[in-house]
Amino acid sequence: VGGASLVVMFFISVFLAKRIIHPLEESDKKQKQFISDASHELKTPIAVIDANAEILSRELSHNEWLSNIQYESNRMGKLVKQLLDFSSAENRKVPMEKLDFSHVVTGESLVFETFAFENGKALQSNIEEGIVLTGNQNQLTQVVAVLLDNALRHTTGNYIDLILQKRAHNAVLSITNDGEEIPPEKLEHLFDRFYRVDEARNSEDHHYGLGLSIAKAIVEKHGGSIGVSCSEGKVTFVVVLPTKLARHRS
């Protein structure tokens, strides 16, 4: 009797759990669809505003109010692009192919070496050659760019360290920068949509707290994982991607 009761309780628990989780899943799905639909709908009016503002600027030359319109339109355009990137990373199926991830990382590191130099910083790279995996090159390039951009914007020191190496059947990418201590309660939310550690910051730099969530969505779509640690004045992001051919997530 006791065993039968446990079995019954188990199935009841499973049933109730599904009933509770299902509305949450539906809500999340609808939210993601809304972000995608709204972003697509906003592209056209923003493009029209940009075009009209450009025409007016030729007629009126310098005008303070027109400059404000162009600035805010540009800012909105960047936000919409990030929202579309996020929607694509989470929902859209992308073609996967065998690619040289070492080459991808090297290409982005060269780009950011220039950015770092212009900001008085130095990017130090240690990239193991010949690491091959299956993935989408554009999306994986975006992951590297997001993490390097994040490190460059938030470092409090002069050096950023990038390491790529193969461990067992995984490609492991780590990017480290000097940074202020991030409390654990904030660290666990870094990959949340629209989350920024410094709540006092606004979106004047055209960053809206979407970059890291986009990177996470892409990495997980490739069957990998991404994490962050902070200790002794160092902030390190680590991406682990399987090098073996695996069925990617849709």
Side-chain angles (χ1 to χ4, degrees):
V1 177
S5 298
L6 288 174
V7 171
V8 171
M9 287 298 294
F10 171 76
F11 283 106
I12 290 175
S13 299
V14 171
F15 173 75
L16 292 175
K18 289 182 178 180
R19 289 288 297 272
I20 294 171
I21 293 173
H22 182 69
L24 297 176
E25 291 178 337
E26 283 297 310
S27 176
D28 186 59
K29 183 178 179 180
K30 289 178 180 178
Q31 184 186 58
K32 292 175 181 177
Q33 188 62 48
F34 171 76
I35 291 175
S36 177
D37 293 344
S39 301
H40 279 286
E41 290 298 322
L42 286 169
K43 283 178 65 179
T44 299
I46 290 174
V48 171
I49 292 171
D50 281 340
N52 288 336
E54 180 62 29
I55 293 172
L56 285 174
S57 68
R58 296 172 188 170
E59 298 290 330
L60 302 177
S61 186
H62 177 71
N63 180 280
E64 179 182 353
W65 305 110
L66 183 57
S67 295
N68 288 340
I69 291 173
Q70 289 176 310
Y71 173 79
E72 292 298 336
S73 177
N74 181 54
R75 197 158 67 95
M76 183 61 70
K78 290 182 182 296
L79 172 58
V80 168
K81 181 182 182 304
Q82 288 187 41
L83 287 170
L84 287 171
D85 285 343
F86 176 74
S87 176
S88 174
E90 280 210 326
N91 303 319
R92 188 164 64 88
K93 291 183 179 180
V94 294
M96 299 282 188
E97 61 182 355
K98 193 173 183 180
L99 57 88
D100 188 334
F101 189 51
S102 299
H103 181 72
V104 171
V105 175
T106 298
E108 281 305 289
S109 68
L110 291 174
V111 172
F112 276 88
E113 277 182 11
T114 302
F115 292 158
F117 179 78
E118 291 174 351
N119 287 274
K121 313 294 182 183
L123 174 60
Q124 303 177 140
S125 302
N126 182 3
I127 301 172
E128 182 178 332
E129 296 183 358
I131 298 179
V132 177
L133 51 75
T134 299
N136 180 272
Q137 182 166 334
N138 289 336
Q139 286 197 337
L140 292 179
T141 298
Q142 188 173 11
V143 170
V144 181
V146 164
L147 295 180
L148 285 174
D149 176 68
N150 183 76
L152 184 58
R153 286 189 296 111
H154 294 292
T155 184
T156 57
N158 296 320
Y159 299 97
I160 298 166
D161 294 313
L162 180 153
I163 299 174
L164 175 66
Q165 55 187 332
K166 187 174 181 181
R167 296 181 188 167
H169 299 296
N170 295 308
V172 181
L173 172 69
S174 66
I175 296 175
T176 302
N177 62 270
D178 295 324
E180 298 177 0
E181 190 71 24
I182 303 175
E185 64 272 15
K186 292 187 175 183
L187 200 65
E188 63 183 17
H189 292 292
L190 282 185
F191 298 101
D192 291 353
R193 284 167 279 183
F194 301 106
Y195 185 80
R196 292 192 293 269
V197 173
D198 186 353
E199 297 176 356
R201 290 179 59 204
N202 54 32
S203 56
E204 291 300 312
D205 61 353
H206 296 166
H207 291 87
Y208 301 88
L210 280 170
L212 292 177
S213 58
I214 291 171
K216 181 181 180 182
I218 292 173
V219 169
E220 291 182 345
K221 178 175 284 190
H222 284 74
S225 64
I226 183 171
V228 58
S229 62
C230 179
S231 63
E232 299 180 353
K234 299 284 186 181
V235 179
T236 301
F237 284 85
V238 178
V239 172
V240 179
L241 293 166
T243 55
K244 277 191 170 183
L245 180 63
R247 183 182 180 183
H248 67 273
R249 301 179 182 182
S250 61

